[in-house]
Amino acid sequence: MEGRRSTVGFARPEEQSDFPWLDGPEDGQLRRLARQSRLIAGGLLLLLILLRLIDITPVQVLRLWGFDLLLQTEITGTEASPVVVVDVNDESLTQLGQWPWPRRYYVDLVDRLREAGAAMIVFDILFTEPDRMSPENLAVTLPKIGADLRRNLLSLGSSDVSLAAAMQTIPTVTAAAAQPPGSPATPGKARPGRFAVHGHPDVADLPGISGIIESVAPVGQAGVGEGLVNLLPEPDGAARRVPAAFRAGEALEPGLAIEAARVALGQSSMLLKVPSAFGISGISIGPLFVPTDRMGQIWINTTNPQRITTHAAHEVLGNKVPDEELAGRIIVIGTSASGIGEQVRTGIGDTMSGLHLQALALDTIVTGRTPLRDRSFTAAEITTALVLGLLLLWLLPRMPLIWKPATALATSTVLISASVAAYGTNGALIDSSFPIIAILLLTGNFVLADFRSETLLRRRNETTLKQHDTYFREVVDASFDAIVTIDGSARVRTANRAAGQIFGIPATELIGHPIAGRLSGDWARGLAAAPADMLRQTAAMPTTIETGILDPETSSIMRPTEITLAESFAGQERVFVLVLHDISARKAAEASAERSSHRLREGIDAISDGFVLYSPDRRLILCNNHFRKMFGDAGDAVVAGMEYSDVLKHYLDHRGVIPEECEKAKTWLDERLRLFGSSSDPYELQTDDGRWFRVDKRRTAEGGMVCVYSNITELKLREIELETAKEQAEMASNAKSEFLANMSHELRTPLNAIIGFADLMRGQPFGPLGNERYVDYANDISDSGTRLLKMIEQILEFARLEKLQSRIENSVTSLAETVHAAVTDLTPSAQEHAISVKVDLPDTLPSLRADPHMLYQIVQNLLANAVKFSTAGSDVTIRSRLDDERQIVLSIEDHGIGVPPEMLENITQPFWQRPGAMTSSHQGVGLGLAIVNAHVQAHEARMDVDSTAGIGTIVTITFPASRTV
């Protein structure tokens, strides 16, 4: 339908159409349809604008639903609400008594909240009658009580007075109810006005009431504020807004939520802003501006009611609520009990109590999250709908059908995105539903007009299809393939020119004659014997029939031919269409291919490697003799057409293995079948006669698999010899390591005794040795033994290197703590050599994922070398940093004897020492750097040494970024 685009409305009548055979007397009707669609669209647009100005109920409901969805796009925060609800719920009534509660409970509740440090209390409960359970009231109303009991009750006083006294100890806002217009006016208490009007004095848009139902005198007068709890009905019955103010005659009365916000902000009055006659814009409470609609209603953000913490009243009275959950909070007291508390439905479909709705309204106000619905938004929305509608009136008739819905969808998406963005950035509620409805209706009008136009065009095109029959006849006659139609008796009805050429006679001579007599083969003989049955069977199972055209003179096969047959109906008569294709060239090509295949097989058999090729359906296509020899005497059973799974099972059978009885063989068989047709890494295979083959499998382009088996027996034998030699070398290395470890242990045991007795003699605990020189000898024995013990421990550490590297522990380790530990351990040695050790580590240096023991060995050995080979009075500096690639770099710099450049490559070799450097002050066995280098490599790190003889050395260790935490 897309190819025929309506040209009505923008193509001049004198212009020729791109499809001249479609032009005709109906062009005028198409133009009339285009004009009608524009007029209907214009009328729809004006009607929509009028309905929006009137603001009928369905338009209001759609707008409110759109705002509900818009409010749900807000990302809810995790901060706690300043408002807490104390709910006299069903459980509280069960625990403490039925409704109405005695005022004594409220006195205790107020005292408990004050003691917990609550900021203020808001009562969402009307105390319109005196407490019937008050002691004073009971003394008057209870009959037949003694005089003493009556005096005692009267002495206890009124519970209402007690509640009023408790309320005066904490800022409290009480609730009142509005009397609807027309009700008898109820005079309220004299109190100062809470509102001042700024701007236009007309506040007639505020909801009007005839009077106020207040709490009883002691209670109502004790609060610092009083607000009305009434809600105004929404068109769909949902609760989305609370009134901020009511108009009671000349006075303005605040709603409960806005009055509680005033008290919470410590303000004595509020400023009602009416910038023009179009209505109210909002209310200022000190520094806080609360936006409202023109009727003075405040939008409530009900998307996350869980942010309001709720506690049951009996739990608060029973001290089961921690003080920190109440301290500094605005406490809203009310009831959600069944049959008592009012239940409302929010715009997002949730049901909540009127108590929680008032708490959400108060939370929305005091947290500054009140959605903004300015009176100017309506004009902007109507203007947007009008501008977009006019633009679509001009643009849509010029678009193809497929682009019209896409344009409407894109425009609607932009409007929705703009509305979401406005709410997300400024909290503005912008109605996108009205412009979208206008867009969809206009687009639907033009789409319907396009469908009507397409219907007219389709009807005209049907008449043109009759002309195509002639074209098709000419096309068939010009075909290179022979096309013949036959009837149910296999007699020729029509034949094109190519049919005459393939049969070797004029096409006209074929008509009316049986076609079976001019064909060879079984199908032709069956067609001659039972034409109706043969044609029916062939048509039911479409296939390609190979036959031959008989020479009309010699009756020999003149040329091989391929026939395809299809069934058709010419009215009520059954007709069969035969397409005959000369396959002489293909047959010649197949013969040539067969010769080439034979040569290929001979070439494959001549190669020294085993070769096998499988088809995509996992059947063996061909293999050479070397592949069969792999199966030994059973190789003759491997033939073309064999299933891949059967080849594998045949191989296992040849080896005497039954997959069902051998789990390893079954796993091998399943893995080979799973990997069929996928290119995999070469693997090695050993046959029963001890030969080894390298198996290389590759996927073919058509989805099959080719395998090459290379004889690697000699290479495998050499590899086995090398592996044996390697194992012997490793055994020798392990024996060496065990010998060193055992020798070190055997040496340390007596050496510790020698050092211990030398230290004992040096300390002379049992008296003088008799000569001072014996003490010096004991000192020499202890010092020499200690140095020898350190050398043995290094040798033992070196012997354990291989095992340690295989069991490296990757834990989060502080490099700074490790450095400070090593510096602390080496401080006595540094002080003995008059070496100053400086540490330069940043405070922000991250931790390292490393083996703590190995990391300490790296730092300790490098620092010990730096101290050992530094000149007296010089500095050793330890630095660390995090480079641009998040690699931790550790460097240790000394000012010692240094190492010549030609010797640097030897410093990490075990037992290597610089010639001439081994003096009395530089003891060691040359294993420190070898151990460091092994530990560094175990951490995938890099060690760089920059040294100059006579100046000093800088050793730098760079750990990979993957080890930085």
Side-chain angles (χ1 to χ4, degrees):
M1 305 299 292
E2 182 183 350
R4 178 65 171 98
R5 185 180 62 182
S6 176
T7 58
V8 177
F10 68 90
R12 295 188 298 272
E14 63 272 18
E15 291 180 348
Q16 185 178 5
S17 171
D18 294 334
F19 307 97
W21 60 85
L22 294 178
D23 292 338
E26 292 184 352
D27 285 344
Q29 188 173 359
L30 292 175
R31 294 188 180 91
R32 285 195 301 272
L33 283 175
R35 287 195 295 271
Q36 289 174 5
S37 64
R38 281 197 179 93
L39 291 174
I40 293 173
L44 282 174
L45 182 60
L46 292 178
L47 178 61
L48 287 172
I49 298 297
L50 179 61
L51 293 177
R52 180 63 181 87
L53 291 173
I54 299 174
D55 206 16
I56 61 176
T57 299
V59 174
Q60 295 181 42
V61 171
L62 285 176
R63 181 168 66 250
L64 293 174
W65 289 352
F67 291 159
D68 294 336
L69 295 174
L70 197 59
L71 289 171
Q72 296 181 55
T73 62
E74 179 182 1
I75 300 176
T76 58
T78 58
E79 68 277 2
S81 171
V83 179
V84 173
V85 169
V86 175
D87 187 5
V88 184
N89 55 18
D90 292 323
E91 187 177 355
S92 296
L93 294 180
T94 302
Q95 294 270 344
L96 300 178
Q98 298 300 316
W99 190 262
W101 261 11
R103 301 286 157 79
R104 186 67 242 172
Y105 289 163
Y106 294 110
V107 174
D108 296 340
L109 190 59
V110 171
D111 291 340
R112 170 72 182 93
L113 293 173
R114 184 189 68 252
E115 293 170 357
M120 61 175 290
I121 296 174
V122 180
F123 274 104
D124 187 28
I125 300 174
L126 290 175
F127 301 105
T128 56
E129 298 178 354
D131 185 11
R132 290 176 294 178
M133 301 301 295
S134 174
E136 184 180 75
N137 190 32
L138 292 175
V140 176
T141 58
L142 289 178
K144 301 179 181 180
I145 62 173
D148 294 337
L149 178 58
R150 190 180 304 277
R151 281 193 300 272
N152 291 335
L153 289 174
L154 289 173
S155 66
L156 293 176
S158 171
S159 295
D160 292 328
V161 175
S162 299
L163 176 59
M167 291 168 57
Q168 290 175 349
T169 63
I170 185 173
T172 305
V173 176
T174 57
Q179 290 182 331
S183 302
T186 302
K189 65 182 180 181
R191 59 183 179 276
R194 299 301 189 194
F195 285 104
V197 179
H198 177 268
H200 199 275
D202 185 10
V203 291
D205 288 334
L206 290 176
I209 58 176
S210 62
I212 299 175
I213 302 173
E214 299 175 314
S215 298
V216 294
V219 177
Q221 295 173 355
V224 295
E226 184 180 54
L228 304 181
V229 296
N230 299 73
L231 301 176
L232 298 183
E234 297 280 8
D236 61 347
R240 300 178 181 87
R241 294 171 283 187
V242 294
F246 295 85
R247 177 173 44 82
E250 298 297 327
L252 298 179
E253 299 295 338
L256 181 64
I258 198 73
E259 177 71 354
R262 176 191 68 78
V263 174
L265 294 174
Q267 302 296 316
S268 59
S269 62
M270 295 173 282
L271 187 62
L272 187 67
K273 293 192 174 182
V274 190
S276 67
F278 291 104
I280 302 166
S281 65
I283 299 173
S284 291
I285 310 174
L288 177 65
F289 178 75
V290 183
T292 67
D293 61 11
R294 64 181 182 83
M295 296 179 63
Q297 295 192 92
I298 301 171
W299 288 88
I300 308 173
N301 191 330
T302 60
T303 55
N304 186 21
Q306 293 79 12
R307 65 182 271 105
I308 304 294
T309 303
T310 301
H311 297 294
H314 71 277
E315 293 179 347
V316 177
L317 288 171
N319 290 326
K320 297 180 180 179
V321 179
D323 290 351
E324 55 268 19
E325 295 188 17
L326 303 172
R329 303 295 180 89
I330 303 173
I331 310 299
V332 181
I333 302 175
T335 180
S336 65
S338 302
I340 302 174
E342 179 186 9
Q343 297 295 316
V344 296
R345 178 176 58 86
T346 65
I348 61 176
D350 296 335
T351 301
M352 64 175 62
S353 65
L355 165 66
H356 287 82
L357 185 70
Q358 292 289 353
L360 275 175
L362 178 56
D363 172 78
T364 302
I365 295 171
V366 298
T367 57
R369 297 166 54 245
T370 308
L372 172 64
R373 177 64 183 170
D374 193 76
R375 63 189 184 284
S376 63
F377 291 174
T378 300
E381 293 158 1
I382 295 175
T383 302
T384 300
L386 181 61
V387 171
L388 289 176
L390 294 176
L391 181 62
L392 293 176
L393 280 174
W394 176 82
L395 186 61
L396 288 179
R398 291 164 168 76
M399 284 185 176
L401 176 60
I402 193 173
W403 286 104
K404 289 181 173 66
T407 301
L409 180 61
T411 308
S412 301
T413 302
V414 171
L415 290 172
I416 294 173
S417 301
S419 178
V420 172
Y423 179 70
T425 55
N426 301 317
L429 294 176
I430 297 179
D431 177 26
S432 59
S433 63
F434 177 68
I436 290 175
I437 291 173
I439 292 169
L440 295 179
L441 287 177
L442 295 179
T443 304
N445 169 70
F446 285 111
V447 168
L448 182 61
D450 281 355
F451 277 118
R452 294 176 62 190
S453 300
E454 293 293 339
T455 302
L456 292 175
L457 293 175
R458 187 183 300 109
R459 187 171 61 207
R460 185 188 303 174
N461 290 340
E462 289 174 355
T463 62
T464 64
L465 291 177
K466 298 177 181 179
Q467 303 174 8
H468 294 177
D469 181 61
T470 303
Y471 301 151
F472 286 125
R473 292 179 183 272
E474 294 178 356
V475 169
V476 169
D477 209 34
S479 173
F480 290 102
D481 288 333
I483 302 176
V484 177
T485 61
I486 59 177
D487 57 19
S489 61
R491 293 183 177 274
V492 178
R493 295 188 57 186
T494 62
N496 64 351
R497 284 195 296 267
Q501 295 173 0
I502 198 171
F503 283 103
I505 60 175
T508 55
E509 296 184 11
L510 292 171
I511 298 175
H513 295 281
I515 196 172
R518 300 187 179 276
L519 302 174
S520 65
D522 295 339
W523 186 80
R525 286 189 289 271
L527 184 64
D533 294 339
M534 183 59 70
L535 290 174
R536 192 180 306 108
Q537 293 174 8
T538 307
M541 300 178 61
T543 184
T544 300
I545 306 163
E546 286 195 11
T547 183
I549 302 295
L550 298 178
D551 191 309
E553 297 180 357
T554 63
S555 295
S556 60
I557 297 178
M558 184 169 56
R559 57 177 61 86
T561 305
E562 191 175 71
I563 298 176
T564 55
L565 182 144
E567 185 178 9
S568 180
F569 289 90
Q572 298 297 324
E573 186 179 359
R574 178 178 293 180
V575 177
F576 298 91
V577 180
L578 275 66
V579 179
L580 296 89
H581 179 67
D582 187 354
I583 59 174
S584 301
R586 193 187 77 187
K587 287 295 184 180
E590 289 175 353
S592 176
E594 179 64 27
R595 291 191 296 271
S596 299
S597 176
H598 181 70
R599 289 192 292 269
L600 176 62
R601 289 189 182 93
E602 290 181 346
I604 290 174
D605 282 337
I607 63 177
S608 60
D609 295 335
F611 178 89
V612 62
L613 176 65
Y614 296 96
S615 64
D617 59 353
R618 301 192 173 200
R619 292 190 177 275
L620 190 147
I621 298 176
L622 62 91
C623 64
N624 62 359
N625 291 328
H626 290 286
F627 177 76
R628 291 189 180 92
K629 289 179 181 178
M630 293 173 56
F631 291 86
D633 297 337
D636 294 337
V638 180
V639 295
M642 196 173 184
E643 286 276 357
Y644 177 65
S645 58
D646 294 337
V647 174
L648 296 178
K649 291 177 182 177
H650 185 69
Y651 171 73
L652 293 175
D653 291 341
H654 174 63
R655 301 187 66 179
V657 178
I658 301 176
E660 290 76 9
E661 299 178 358
C662 179
E663 186 64 26
K664 183 178 180 181
K666 185 177 184 301
T667 303
W668 178 85
L669 178 62
D670 294 341
E671 184 68 12
R672 298 275 73 77
L673 293 175
R674 185 181 67 83
L675 295 177
F676 177 86
S678 61
S679 298
S680 60
D681 294 335
Y683 63 92
E684 296 175 352
L685 178 68
Q686 185 181 17
T687 59
D688 290 340
D689 57 1
R691 290 179 299 165
W692 286 88
F693 291 89
R694 183 180 185 270
V695 184
D696 194 357
K697 296 184 178 182
R698 290 290 182 269
R699 176 186 174 87
T700 62
E702 62 179 0
M705 184 173 68
V706 60
C707 306
V708 177
Y709 297 81
S710 303
N711 194 330
I712 58 169
T713 303
E714 293 184 5
L715 294 176
K716 193 63 180 179
L717 292 176
R718 294 193 190 97
E719 181 181 333
I720 293 174
E721 292 175 357
L722 291 174
E723 185 68 23
T724 302
K726 179 183 176 182
E727 291 177 357
Q728 292 176 352
E730 289 178 350
M731 291 174 60
S733 177
N734 291 335
K736 176 206 68 176
S737 299
E738 291 180 5
F739 171 74
L740 290 175
N742 292 334
M743 286 299 296
S744 299
H745 175 73
E746 294 298 328
L747 289 173
R748 282 197 304 175
T749 301
L751 193 57
N752 284 328
I754 293 172
I755 295 172
F757 283 116
D759 290 340
L760 185 65
M761 294 171 63
R762 184 169 53 181
Q764 304 181 53
F766 304 110
L769 295 178
N771 192 319
E772 191 66 28
R773 297 177 68 181
Y774 290 141
V775 176
D776 295 336
Y777 294 155
N779 288 334
D780 292 340
I781 293 172
S782 178
D783 294 341
S784 299
T786 301
R787 286 195 297 271
L788 181 57
L789 182 61
K790 290 181 178 178
M791 292 180 185
I792 292 172
E793 288 177 347
Q794 278 197 330
I795 294 173
L796 184 59
E797 180 70 23
F798 181 73
R800 290 199 302 259
L801 276 180
E802 294 180 357
K803 294 183 179 179
L804 286 175
Q805 292 178 14
S806 63
R807 298 195 300 269
I808 183 171
E809 176 185 353
N810 289 311
S811 59
V812 177
T813 307
S814 172
L815 179 59
E817 293 179 0
T818 303
V819 168
H820 287 300
V823 170
T824 301
D825 292 344
L826 289 172
T827 297
S829 178
Q831 292 175 349
E832 180 182 350
H833 292 81
I835 304 298
S836 174
V837 180
K838 297 181 178 179
V839 180
D840 184 10
L841 302 177
D843 295 335
T844 59
L845 185 67
S847 297
L848 191 66
R849 189 173 286 105
D851 188 296
H853 173 73
M854 290 187 178
L855 184 63
Y856 176 81
Q857 286 286 329
I858 291 172
V859 177
Q860 195 270 345
N861 279 307
L862 291 177
L863 186 58
N865 275 359
V867 171
K868 182 191 300 182
F869 294 107
S870 292
T871 58
S874 62
D875 296 335
V876 173
T877 304
I878 303 177
R879 297 185 179 88
S880 184
R881 61 184 176 86
L882 187 68
D883 64 8
D884 296 337
E885 299 179 2
R886 284 192 57 78
Q887 299 182 123
I888 294 180
V889 180
L890 173 69
S891 64
I892 298 179
E893 179 181 4
D894 66 55
H895 301 282
I897 61 177
V899 181
E902 64 274 10
M903 297 183 181
L904 284 177
E905 62 182 10
N906 300 322
I907 63 175
T908 58
Q909 296 297 321
F911 305 106
W912 182 89
Q913 293 178 334
R914 176 184 169 186
M918 193 64 179
T919 64
S920 60
S921 60
H922 299 153
Q923 296 88 1
V925 292
L927 290 176
L929 288 179
I931 294 173
V932 169
N933 186 54
H935 289 347
V936 167
Q937 292 178 357
H939 286 81
E940 302 98 19
R942 186 180 73 252
M943 181 172 73
D944 299 312
V945 181
D946 183 12
S947 182
T948 304
I951 295 178
T953 303
I954 300 177
V955 180
T956 302
I957 308 296
T958 304
F959 292 92
S962 60
R963 290 191 172 273
T964 302
V965 179

